[in-house]
Amino acid sequence: MNGTTEAAEPLEVWIDQDLCTGDGICAQYAPEVFELDIDGLAYVKGEDDELRQQPGETVRVPLTLLQDVVDSVKDCPGDCIHVRRVNDRVEVFGPDAD
């Protein structure tokens, strides 16, 4: 599947905190989507700026921030950021992507 098809579909992102190193690279790339909490781990946050702290909790990836989120996935030392399609929950970027 090519990048244009994937980018046109709604995507969501989540972080596996068990693998998070607290490096903060994701928050540097996309502070609108990722934030480090007081526990030193990264979490996704919604448009309401609230952190999603339940395991596996997701937020939509704004199309305008997709490249920043993908760069976060690629450079994450913990390999813990997952981006998947909303409609079928297939991971398109991250450790479980094909």
Side-chain angles (χ1 to χ4, degrees):
M1 187 178 278
N2 66 37
T4 19
T5 307
E6 287 175 7
E9 296 181 47
L11 300 175
E12 59 189 6
V13 60
W14 63 281
I15 295 176
D16 183 345
Q17 277 76 32
D18 290 341
L19 299 176
C20 180
T21 61
D23 225 278
I25 289 172
C26 57
Q28 291 173 11
Y29 275 119
E32 304 88 347
V33 178
F34 305 108
E35 186 174 313
L36 292 178
D37 199 13
I38 195 164
D39 62 6
L41 301 178
Y43 293 86
V44 293
K45 62 182 179 178
E47 292 179 7
D48 57 4
D49 259 1
E50 291 296 315
L51 299 185
R52 305 301 194 253
Q53 296 179 303
Q54 296 304 312
E57 205 169 358
T58 65
V59 297
R60 290 283 179 106
V61 178
L63 194 53
T64 54
L65 297 174
L66 179 58
Q67 190 59 56
D68 293 334
V69 171
V70 170
D71 289 342
S72 299
V73 171
K74 290 178 181 172
D75 288 349
C76 175
D79 209 21
C80 65
I81 303 171
H82 302 264
V83 178
R84 65 186 178 204
R85 291 190 301 254
V86 171
N87 63 346
D88 60 7
R89 299 172 64 97
V90 170
E91 188 157 318
V92 291
F93 302 105
D96 298 331
D98 288 337

Coordinates of all heavy atoms in Angstrom, one line a residue:
M1 N 0.8 -1.2 0.0 CA 0.0 0.0 0.0 C 0.9 1.2 0.0 O 1.9 1.3 0.7 CB -0.9 0.0 1.3 CG -1.9 1.0 1.3 SD -3.0 0.9 2.7 CE -4.1 -0.3 2.1
N2 N 0.5 2.2 -0.8 CA 1.4 3.4 -0.9 C 1.0 4.4 0.2 O 0.0 4.4 0.8 CB 1.4 4.0 -2.3 CG 0.0 4.6 -2.6 OD1 -0.7 5.2 -1.8 ND2 -0.4 4.5 -3.9
G3 N 1.9 5.4 0.5 CA 1.8 6.4 1.5 C 0.6 7.2 1.4 O -0.1 7.6 2.3
T4 N 0.2 7.6 0.1 CA -1.0 8.4 -0.1 C -2.3 7.8 0.4 O -3.1 8.4 1.0 CB -1.1 8.8 -1.6 OG1 -0.4 8.0 -2.4 CG2 -0.7 10.2 -1.8
T5 N -2.4 6.5 0.1 CA -3.6 5.8 0.5 C -3.7 5.7 2.0 O -4.7 6.0 2.6 CB -3.6 4.3 0.0 OG1 -3.4 4.4 -1.4 CG2 -4.9 3.7 0.2
E6 N -2.6 5.4 2.7 CA -2.6 5.3 4.1 C -2.9 6.7 4.7 O -3.6 6.8 5.7 CB -1.2 4.8 4.6 CG -1.0 3.4 4.4 CD 0.4 2.9 4.8 OE1 1.1 3.7 5.3 OE2 0.7 1.7 4.5
A7 N -2.2 7.7 4.2 CA -2.4 9.1 4.8 C -3.8 9.6 4.7 O -4.3 10.4 5.5 CB -1.4 10.0 4.1
A8 N -4.5 9.1 3.6 CA -5.9 9.6 3.4 C -6.9 8.9 4.4 O -8.0 9.4 4.7 CB -6.4 9.3 2.0
E9 N -6.5 7.8 5.0 CA -7.3 7.1 6.0 C -7.1 7.7 7.4 O -6.0 8.0 7.7 CB -7.0 5.6 6.0 CG -7.3 4.9 4.6 CD -7.0 3.5 4.7 OE1 -7.4 2.8 5.7 OE2 -6.3 3.0 3.8
P10 N -8.1 7.7 8.2 CA -7.9 8.1 9.6 C -7.0 7.2 10.3 O -7.1 6.0 10.3 CB -9.3 8.1 10.2 CG -10.3 7.9 9.1 CD -9.5 7.3 7.9
L11 N -6.0 7.8 11.0 CA -5.0 7.0 11.8 C -5.1 7.4 13.2 O -5.5 8.5 13.6 CB -3.6 7.3 11.3 CG -3.3 7.0 9.8 CD1 -1.9 7.4 9.4 CD2 -3.5 5.5 9.5
E12 N -4.7 6.5 14.1 CA -4.7 6.8 15.5 C -3.3 6.3 16.1 O -2.6 5.4 15.4 CB -5.8 6.1 16.3 CG -5.8 4.6 16.1 CD -7.1 4.0 16.7 OE1 -8.0 4.7 17.1 OE2 -7.2 2.7 16.7
V13 N -2.9 6.9 17.2 CA -1.6 6.6 17.7 C -1.7 6.2 19.2 O -2.6 6.8 19.9 CB -0.6 7.7 17.5 CG1 -1.0 9.0 18.1 CG2 0.8 7.4 17.9
W14 N -0.8 5.3 19.7 CA -0.8 5.0 21.1 C 0.7 4.7 21.5 O 1.5 4.4 20.6 CB -1.7 3.9 21.5 CG -1.5 2.6 20.9 CD1 -1.8 2.2 19.6 CD2 -0.9 1.5 21.5 NE1 -1.5 0.9 19.4 CE2 -0.9 0.4 20.6 CE3 -0.3 1.2 22.8 CZ2 -0.3 -0.8 20.9 CZ3 0.2 0.0 23.1 CH2 0.2 -1.0 22.1
I15 N 1.0 4.8 22.7 CA 2.3 4.5 23.2 C 2.2 3.3 24.2 O 1.4 3.3 25.1 CB 2.9 5.7 23.9 CG1 3.2 6.8 22.9 CG2 4.3 5.4 24.6 CD1 3.7 8.1 23.5
D16 N 3.1 2.4 24.1 CA 3.3 1.3 25.1 C 4.2 1.8 26.2 O 5.4 1.8 26.0 CB 3.8 0.1 24.4 CG 3.9 -1.1 25.3 OD1 3.8 -0.9 26.6 OD2 4.1 -2.3 24.8
Q17 N 3.6 2.3 27.3 CA 4.5 2.8 28.4 C 5.4 1.8 29.0 O 6.5 2.2 29.5 CB 3.6 3.4 29.5 CG 3.1 4.8 29.2 CD 2.0 4.9 28.2 OE1 1.2 4.0 28.1 NE2 2.0 6.0 27.4
D18 N 5.1 0.5 28.9 CA 6.0 -0.5 29.4 C 7.4 -0.5 28.7 O 8.4 -0.9 29.2 CB 5.4 -1.9 29.3 CG 4.3 -2.1 30.2 OD1 4.2 -1.4 31.2 OD2 3.5 -3.0 30.0
L19 N 7.4 0.0 27.5 CA 8.6 0.1 26.7 C 9.2 1.5 26.6 O 10.3 1.7 26.1 CB 8.4 -0.5 25.3 CG 7.9 -1.9 25.2 CD1 7.6 -2.3 23.7 CD2 8.9 -2.9 25.8
C20 N 8.5 2.5 27.0 CA 8.9 3.9 26.9 C 10.2 4.1 27.7 O 10.2 3.7 28.9 CB 7.8 4.8 27.4 SG 8.2 6.6 27.2
T21 N 11.2 4.8 27.1 CA 12.4 5.1 27.8 C 12.4 6.5 28.4 O 13.3 6.9 29.1 CB 13.6 5.0 26.8 OG1 13.4 6.0 25.8 CG2 13.7 3.6 26.2
G22 N 11.3 7.3 28.1 CA 11.2 8.6 28.7 C 12.2 9.6 28.0 O 12.5 10.6 28.5
D23 N 12.7 9.2 26.8 CA 13.6 10.0 26.1 C 13.1 11.4 25.7 O 13.8 12.3 25.6 CB 14.1 9.2 24.9 CG 15.6 9.3 24.7 OD1 16.0 10.3 24.1 OD2 16.3 8.4 25.1
G24 N 11.8 11.4 25.3 CA 11.1 12.6 25.0 C 11.3 13.1 23.5 O 10.9 14.2 23.1
I25 N 11.9 12.2 22.7 CA 12.0 12.5 21.3 C 10.7 12.8 20.6 O 10.5 13.7 19.8 CB 12.8 11.4 20.5 CG1 14.3 11.5 21.0 CG2 12.7 11.6 19.0 CD1 15.1 10.3 20.5
C26 N 9.7 12.0 21.0 CA 8.3 12.1 20.4 C 7.8 13.5 20.7 O 7.2 14.1 19.8 CB 7.4 11.0 20.9 SG 7.2 10.9 22.7
A27 N 7.9 13.9 22.0 CA 7.4 15.2 22.4 C 8.1 16.4 21.7 O 7.5 17.5 21.4 CB 7.5 15.4 23.9
Q28 N 9.4 16.2 21.3 CA 10.1 17.2 20.5 C 9.6 17.3 19.1 O 9.4 18.4 18.6 CB 11.6 16.9 20.5 CG 12.3 17.0 21.9 CD 13.7 16.6 21.9 OE1 14.3 16.3 20.9 NE2 14.3 16.4 23.1
Y29 N 9.3 16.1 18.5 CA 8.8 16.1 17.1 C 7.4 16.6 17.0 O 7.1 17.4 16.1 CB 8.9 14.7 16.5 CG 10.2 14.3 16.0 CD1 10.8 13.2 16.5 CD2 10.7 14.9 14.8 CE1 12.1 12.7 15.9 CE2 11.9 14.5 14.3 CZ 12.6 13.4 14.8 OH 13.7 13.0 14.3
A30 N 6.5 16.1 17.9 CA 5.1 16.4 17.8 C 4.5 16.7 19.2 O 3.8 15.9 19.8 CB 4.4 15.3 17.2
P31 N 4.8 17.9 19.7 CA 4.3 18.2 21.1 C 2.8 18.4 21.1 O 2.2 18.3 22.2 CB 5.0 19.6 21.4 CG 5.4 20.1 20.1 CD 5.7 19.0 19.2
E32 N 2.2 18.5 20.0 CA 0.7 18.6 20.0 C 0.1 17.2 20.2 O -1.1 17.1 20.6 CB 0.2 19.1 18.6 CG 0.8 20.4 18.2 CD 2.1 20.3 17.4 OE1 2.7 19.2 17.4 OE2 2.5 21.3 16.8
V33 N 0.9 16.1 20.0 CA 0.4 14.8 20.1 C 1.0 14.0 21.3 O 0.3 13.2 21.9 CB 0.7 14.0 18.8 CG1 0.2 12.5 18.9 CG2 0.0 14.7 17.6
F34 N 2.2 14.3 21.7 CA 2.9 13.6 22.7 C 3.4 14.5 23.8 O 3.7 15.7 23.6 CB 4.2 12.9 22.2 CG 4.0 12.0 21.0 CD1 4.3 12.4 19.7 CD2 3.3 10.8 21.1 CE1 4.1 11.5 18.6 CE2 3.1 9.9 20.1 CZ 3.5 10.3 18.8
E35 N 3.4 14.0 25.1 CA 3.9 14.8 26.2 C 4.4 13.8 27.3 O 3.9 12.7 27.5 CB 2.7 15.6 26.8 CG 3.1 16.6 27.8 CD 2.0 17.4 28.3 OE1 1.3 18.0 27.4 OE2 1.8 17.6 29.5
L36 N 5.5 14.3 27.9 CA 6.0 13.5 29.0 C 5.2 13.9 30.3 O 5.0 15.1 30.5 CB 7.5 13.8 29.3 CG 8.5 13.4 28.2 CD1 9.9 13.8 28.5 CD2 8.4 11.9 28.0
D37 N 4.9 12.9 31.1 CA 4.1 13.1 32.3 C 5.1 13.2 33.5 O 6.3 13.0 33.3 CB 3.1 12.1 32.5 CG 2.0 12.5 33.5 OD1 1.9 13.7 33.8 OD2 1.2 11.6 33.9
I38 N 4.6 13.4 34.7 CA 5.4 13.5 35.9 C 6.2 12.2 36.2 O 7.2 12.2 36.8 CB 4.5 13.9 37.1 CG1 5.4 14.4 38.2 CG2 3.5 12.8 37.5 CD1 4.6 15.2 39.3
D39 N 5.6 11.1 35.7 CA 6.3 9.8 35.9 C 7.5 9.6 34.9 O 8.2 8.6 35.0 CB 5.3 8.6 35.7 CG 4.7 8.5 34.3 OD1 5.1 9.3 33.4 OD2 3.8 7.7 34.2
G40 N 7.7 10.6 34.0 CA 8.9 10.6 33.1 C 8.6 9.8 31.8 O 9.5 9.6 31.0
L41 N 7.4 9.3 31.7 CA 7.0 8.5 30.5 C 6.2 9.4 29.5 O 5.5 10.3 29.9 CB 6.2 7.3 30.8 CG 7.0 6.3 31.8 CD1 6.0 5.1 32.1 CD2 8.3 5.8 31.2
A42 N 6.2 9.0 28.2 CA 5.5 9.7 27.2 C 4.1 9.2 27.1 O 3.9 8.0 27.2 CB 6.2 9.7 25.9
Y43 N 3.1 10.1 26.8 CA 1.7 9.7 26.6 C 1.2 10.5 25.4 O 1.7 11.5 25.1 CB 0.9 10.1 27.8 CG 1.2 9.2 29.0 CD1 2.2 9.6 29.9 CD2 0.5 8.1 29.3 CE1 2.6 8.8 31.0 CE2 0.8 7.3 30.4 CZ 1.9 7.7 31.3 OH 2.2 6.9 32.4
V44 N 0.2 9.9 24.8 CA -0.5 10.7 23.7 C -1.5 11.6 24.4 O -2.0 11.3 25.5 CB -1.2 9.8 22.7 CG1 -0.2 9.0 21.9 CG2 -2.2 8.8 23.4
K45 N -1.8 12.7 23.7 CA -2.8 13.6 24.2 C -3.8 14.0 23.1 O -3.4 14.1 22.0 CB -2.2 14.8 24.9 CG -1.4 15.7 24.0 CD -0.8 16.8 24.8 CE 0.1 17.7 24.0 NZ 0.6 18.9 24.8
G46 N -5.0 14.2 23.5 CA -6.0 14.6 22.6 C -6.1 16.1 22.3 O -5.3 16.8 22.8
E47 N -7.0 16.4 21.4 CA -7.2 17.9 21.1 C -7.5 18.7 22.3 O -7.4 19.9 22.3 CB -8.3 18.0 20.0 CG -7.8 17.4 18.7 CD -8.9 17.5 17.6 OE1 -9.9 18.2 17.9 OE2 -8.7 17.0 16.5
D48 N -8.0 18.0 23.4 CA -8.4 18.8 24.6 C -7.1 19.0 25.5 O -7.2 19.5 26.6 CB -9.4 18.0 25.4 CG -9.0 16.6 25.7 OD1 -7.9 16.2 25.4 OD2 -9.9 15.8 26.3
D49 N -6.0 18.5 25.0 CA -4.7 18.6 25.7 C -4.6 17.7 26.9 O -3.7 17.9 27.7 CB -4.4 20.1 26.1 CG -3.4 20.7 25.2 OD1 -2.9 20.1 24.2 OD2 -3.0 21.9 25.4
E50 N -5.5 16.8 27.1 CA -5.5 15.9 28.2 C -4.7 14.6 27.8 O -5.0 14.1 26.7 CB -6.9 15.5 28.6 CG -7.7 16.6 29.3 CD -7.1 17.1 30.6 OE1 -6.8 16.2 31.4 OE2 -7.0 18.3 30.8
L51 N -3.8 14.2 28.7 CA -3.1 13.0 28.4 C -4.0 11.8 28.5 O -4.9 11.7 29.4 CB -1.9 12.8 29.5 CG -0.9 13.9 29.5 CD1 0.2 13.5 30.5 CD2 -0.3 14.2 28.1
R52 N -3.8 10.8 27.6 CA -4.5 9.5 27.6 C -3.6 8.5 28.4 O -2.7 8.0 27.8 CB -4.8 9.1 26.2 CG -5.6 10.1 25.4 CD -6.9 10.5 26.0 NE -7.8 11.2 25.1 CZ -8.0 12.5 25.1 NH1 -7.5 13.3 26.1 NH2 -8.8 13.1 24.3
Q53 N -4.0 8.3 29.6 CA -3.1 7.5 30.5 C -3.5 6.0 30.7 O -2.7 5.3 31.3 CB -2.9 8.2 31.8 CG -2.2 9.5 31.7 CD -2.1 10.3 33.0 OE1 -3.1 10.5 33.7 NE2 -0.9 10.6 33.3
Q54 N -4.6 5.6 30.1 CA -5.0 4.2 30.2 C -4.1 3.4 29.2 O -3.9 3.9 28.1 CB -6.5 4.0 29.9 CG -7.4 4.7 30.9 CD -7.1 4.2 32.4 OE1 -7.0 3.0 32.6 NE2 -6.9 5.2 33.3
P55 N -3.7 2.2 29.5 CA -2.9 1.4 28.6 C -3.6 1.2 27.3 O -4.8 0.8 27.3 CB -2.7 0.1 29.4 CG -2.8 0.5 30.8 CD -3.8 1.6 30.9
G56 N -2.9 1.5 26.2 CA -3.5 1.3 24.9 C -4.5 2.4 24.4 O -5.0 2.3 23.3
E57 N -4.6 3.4 25.2 CA -5.6 4.5 24.8 C -5.0 5.3 23.6 O -3.8 5.6 23.6 CB -5.8 5.4 26.0 CG -7.1 6.1 26.0 CD -7.4 6.8 27.3 OE1 -6.7 6.7 28.3 OE2 -8.5 7.5 27.3
T58 N -5.8 5.6 22.7 CA -5.4 6.2 21.4 C -5.9 7.6 21.2 O -6.9 8.0 21.9 CB -5.8 5.4 20.2 OG1 -7.2 5.4 20.1 CG2 -5.4 3.9 20.3
V59 N -5.2 8.3 20.3 CA -5.8 9.6 19.8 C -5.6 9.6 18.3 O -4.7 8.9 17.8 CB -5.1 10.8 20.4 CG1 -5.3 10.9 21.9 CG2 -3.6 10.9 20.1
R60 N -6.5 10.3 17.7 CA -6.3 10.5 16.2 C -5.1 11.3 15.9 O -4.7 12.2 16.6 CB -7.6 11.2 15.6 CG -8.9 10.5 15.7 CD -8.9 9.4 14.6 NE -10.1 8.7 14.6 CZ -11.1 8.8 13.7 NH1 -11.0 9.7 12.8 NH2 -12.2 8.1 13.8
V61 N -4.5 10.9 14.7 CA -3.3 11.6 14.2 C -3.8 12.7 13.3 O -4.3 12.3 12.2 CB -2.3 10.7 13.5 CG1 -1.2 11.4 13.0 CG2 -1.9 9.5 14.4
P62 N -3.6 14.0 13.6 CA -4.0 15.0 12.6 C -3.2 14.9 11.4 O -1.9 14.7 11.5 CB -3.7 16.3 13.4 CG -3.6 15.9 14.8 CD -3.1 14.5 14.8
L63 N -3.8 14.9 10.2 CA -3.1 14.8 9.0 C -1.9 15.7 8.8 O -0.8 15.4 8.3 CB -4.0 15.0 7.8 CG -3.5 14.5 6.4 CD1 -3.1 13.0 6.5 CD2 -4.6 14.6 5.4
T64 N -2.1 16.9 9.4 CA -1.0 17.9 9.3 C 0.2 17.5 10.1 O 1.3 18.1 9.9 CB -1.5 19.3 9.8 OG1 -2.1 19.2 11.1 CG2 -2.6 19.9 8.8
L65 N 0.0 16.6 11.1 CA 1.2 16.2 12.0 C 1.6 14.8 11.7 O 2.5 14.3 12.4 CB 0.7 16.3 13.4 CG 0.3 17.7 13.9 CD1 -0.2 17.6 15.3 CD2 1.5 18.6 13.9
L66 N 1.1 14.2 10.6 CA 1.5 12.8 10.3 C 3.0 12.6 10.2 O 3.5 11.7 10.8 CB 0.7 12.3 9.1 CG 1.0 10.9 8.7 CD1 0.7 9.9 9.8 CD2 0.3 10.5 7.4
Q67 N 3.6 13.4 9.4 CA 5.1 13.3 9.2 C 5.8 13.4 10.5 O 6.8 12.6 10.8 CB 5.6 14.3 8.2 CG 7.0 13.9 7.7 CD 7.2 12.5 7.1 OE1 6.5 12.2 6.2 NE2 8.1 11.7 7.7
D68 N 5.5 14.3 11.4 CA 6.1 14.5 12.7 C 5.9 13.2 13.5 O 6.8 12.7 14.2 CB 5.6 15.7 13.4 CG 6.0 17.0 12.8 OD1 7.0 17.0 12.0 OD2 5.2 18.0 12.9
V69 N 4.7 12.7 13.5 CA 4.4 11.4 14.3 C 5.2 10.3 13.7 O 5.8 9.5 14.5 CB 2.9 11.1 14.3 CG1 2.6 9.8 14.9 CG2 2.1 12.2 15.0
V70 N 5.3 10.1 12.4 CA 6.1 9.0 11.8 C 7.5 9.2 12.1 O 8.2 8.2 12.4 CB 5.8 9.0 10.2 CG1 6.8 8.1 9.6 CG2 4.4 8.6 9.9
D71 N 8.1 10.4 12.1 CA 9.5 10.6 12.5 C 9.7 10.2 13.9 O 10.7 9.6 14.3 CB 9.9 12.1 12.3 CG 10.0 12.5 10.8 OD1 10.1 11.6 10.0 OD2 10.0 13.7 10.5
S72 N 8.7 10.5 14.8 CA 8.8 10.1 16.2 C 8.9 8.5 16.3 O 9.7 8.0 17.1 CB 7.6 10.5 17.0 OG 7.4 11.9 17.0
V73 N 8.0 7.9 15.5 CA 8.1 6.4 15.5 C 9.4 5.9 15.1 O 10.0 5.0 15.8 CB 7.0 5.8 14.5 CG1 7.1 4.3 14.4 CG2 5.6 6.2 15.0
K74 N 10.0 6.5 14.1 CA 11.3 6.0 13.5 C 12.4 6.2 14.5 O 13.4 5.4 14.5 CB 11.6 6.6 12.2 CG 10.6 6.2 11.1 CD 10.9 6.9 9.8 CE 9.9 6.4 8.7 NZ 10.0 7.2 7.5
D75 N 12.4 7.3 15.2 CA 13.5 7.7 16.1 C 13.4 7.3 17.5 O 14.2 7.5 18.3 CB 13.8 9.2 16.0 CG 14.4 9.6 14.6 OD1 14.8 8.7 13.9 OD2 14.5 10.8 14.3
C76 N 12.2 6.7 17.9 CA 12.0 6.4 19.3 C 12.9 5.2 19.7 O 12.9 4.1 19.2 CB 10.5 5.9 19.4 SG 10.1 5.3 21.1
P77 N 13.7 5.5 20.8 CA 14.7 4.5 21.2 C 14.0 3.3 21.9 O 14.5 2.2 21.9 CB 15.6 5.2 22.2 CG 14.9 6.4 22.6 CD 13.9 6.7 21.5
G78 N 12.8 3.5 22.4 CA 12.0 2.4 23.1 C 11.2 1.6 22.1 O 10.6 0.6 22.5
D79 N 11.1 2.0 20.9 CA 10.3 1.3 19.9 C 8.9 1.1 20.4 O 8.4 -0.1 20.3 CB 11.0 0.0 19.5 CG 10.7 -0.4 18.0 OD1 10.3 0.4 17.2 OD2 10.9 -1.6 17.7
C80 N 8.3 2.1 21.0 CA 7.0 1.9 21.7 C 5.8 2.7 21.1 O 4.7 2.7 21.7 CB 7.2 2.3 23.2 SG 7.6 4.0 23.4
I81 N 6.0 3.4 20.0 CA 4.9 4.2 19.4 C 4.3 3.4 18.3 O 5.0 2.9 17.4 CB 5.5 5.5 18.9 CG1 6.2 6.3 20.0 CG2 4.3 6.4 18.3 CD1 6.9 7.5 19.6
H82 N 3.0 3.3 18.4 CA 2.2 2.5 17.4 C 1.2 3.4 16.7 O 0.4 4.1 17.3 CB 1.4 1.4 18.1 CG 2.3 0.5 18.9 ND1 2.7 -0.7 18.4 CD2 2.8 0.6 20.1 CE1 3.5 -1.3 19.2 NE2 3.6 -0.6 20.3
V83 N 1.2 3.4 15.3 CA 0.2 4.1 14.5 C -0.5 3.1 13.7 O 0.1 2.3 13.0 CB 0.9 5.1 13.6 CG1 -0.1 5.9 12.7 CG2 1.7 6.2 14.4
R84 N -1.9 3.1 13.8 CA -2.7 2.2 13.1 C -3.9 2.9 12.5 O -4.3 4.0 12.9 CB -3.1 1.1 14.1 CG -4.1 1.5 15.1 CD -4.4 0.4 16.1 NE -5.2 0.9 17.2 CZ -5.3 0.4 18.4 NH1 -4.6 -0.7 18.7 NH2 -6.1 0.8 19.3
R85 N -4.4 2.2 11.4 CA -5.6 2.7 10.8 C -6.8 2.5 11.8 O -6.9 1.5 12.4 CB -5.9 1.9 9.5 CG -4.9 2.2 8.4 CD -5.3 1.6 7.1 NE -5.5 0.2 7.1 CZ -4.6 -0.7 6.6 NH1 -3.6 -0.3 6.0 NH2 -4.9 -2.0 6.7
V86 N -7.7 3.5 11.8 CA -8.8 3.4 12.7 C -9.8 2.4 12.2 O -10.3 1.6 13.0 CB -9.5 4.8 12.7 CG1 -10.8 4.7 13.5 CG2 -8.6 5.9 13.4
N87 N -10.0 2.2 10.9 CA -11.1 1.4 10.4 C -10.8 -0.1 10.7 O -11.7 -0.9 11.0 CB -11.4 1.6 8.9 CG -10.2 1.3 8.0 OD1 -9.1 1.2 8.5 ND2 -10.5 1.3 6.7
D88 N -9.6 -0.6 10.5 CA -9.3 -2.0 10.7 C -8.3 -2.3 11.8 O -7.9 -3.4 12.0 CB -9.0 -2.7 9.4 CG -7.7 -2.1 8.8 OD1 -7.0 -1.3 9.4 OD2 -7.4 -2.5 7.6
R89 N -7.8 -1.3 12.4 CA -6.8 -1.4 13.5 C -5.5 -2.0 13.1 O -4.8 -2.6 13.9 CB -7.4 -2.1 14.7 CG -8.6 -1.3 15.3 CD -9.3 -2.1 16.3 NE -8.5 -2.3 17.5 CZ -8.6 -1.5 18.6 NH1 -9.4 -0.5 18.7 NH2 -7.8 -1.8 19.7
V90 N -5.1 -2.0 11.8 CA -3.9 -2.5 11.3 C -2.8 -1.5 11.5 O -2.9 -0.3 11.1 CB -4.0 -2.9 9.8 CG1 -2.6 -3.2 9.2 CG2 -5.0 -4.1 9.6
E91 N -1.7 -1.9 12.1 CA -0.6 -1.0 12.4 C 0.1 -0.7 11.1 O 0.5 -1.6 10.3 CB 0.4 -1.6 13.4 CG 1.4 -0.6 13.8 CD 2.0 -1.0 15.2 OE1 1.3 -1.4 16.1 OE2 3.3 -0.9 15.3
V92 N 0.3 0.6 10.8 CA 1.0 1.1 9.6 C 2.4 1.6 9.8 O 3.2 1.6 8.9 CB 0.1 2.1 8.8 CG1 -1.1 1.3 8.2 CG2 -0.3 3.2 9.6
F93 N 2.6 2.1 11.0 CA 3.9 2.6 11.5 C 4.2 2.1 12.9 O 3.3 2.2 13.7 CB 4.0 4.1 11.4 CG 3.8 4.7 10.1 CD1 2.6 5.4 9.8 CD2 4.7 4.7 9.1 CE1 2.3 5.9 8.6 CE2 4.4 5.2 7.8 CZ 3.2 5.8 7.6
G94 N 5.3 1.6 13.2 CA 5.6 1.2 14.5 C 6.2 -0.2 14.5 O 6.4 -0.9 13.4
P95 N 6.5 -0.8 15.7 CA 7.1 -2.1 15.8 C 6.3 -3.2 15.2 O 6.9 -4.3 14.8 CB 7.4 -2.3 17.3 CG 6.5 -1.3 18.0 CD 6.3 -0.2 17.0
D96 N 5.0 -3.1 15.2 CA 4.2 -4.2 14.6 C 3.8 -4.0 13.2 O 3.0 -4.8 12.7 CB 3.0 -4.4 15.5 CG 3.4 -4.8 16.9 OD1 4.4 -5.4 17.1 OD2 2.6 -4.5 17.9
A97 N 4.3 -3.0 12.5 CA 3.9 -2.7 11.1 C 4.6 -3.7 10.2 O 5.7 -4.1 10.5 CB 4.2 -1.3 10.8
D98 N 4.0 -4.0 9.1 CA 4.7 -5.0 8.2 C 5.8 -4.3 7.4 O 5.8 -3.2 7.0 CB 3.6 -5.5 7.2 CG 2.7 -6.5 7.8 OD1 3.1 -7.0 8.9 OD2 1.6 -6.6 7.4

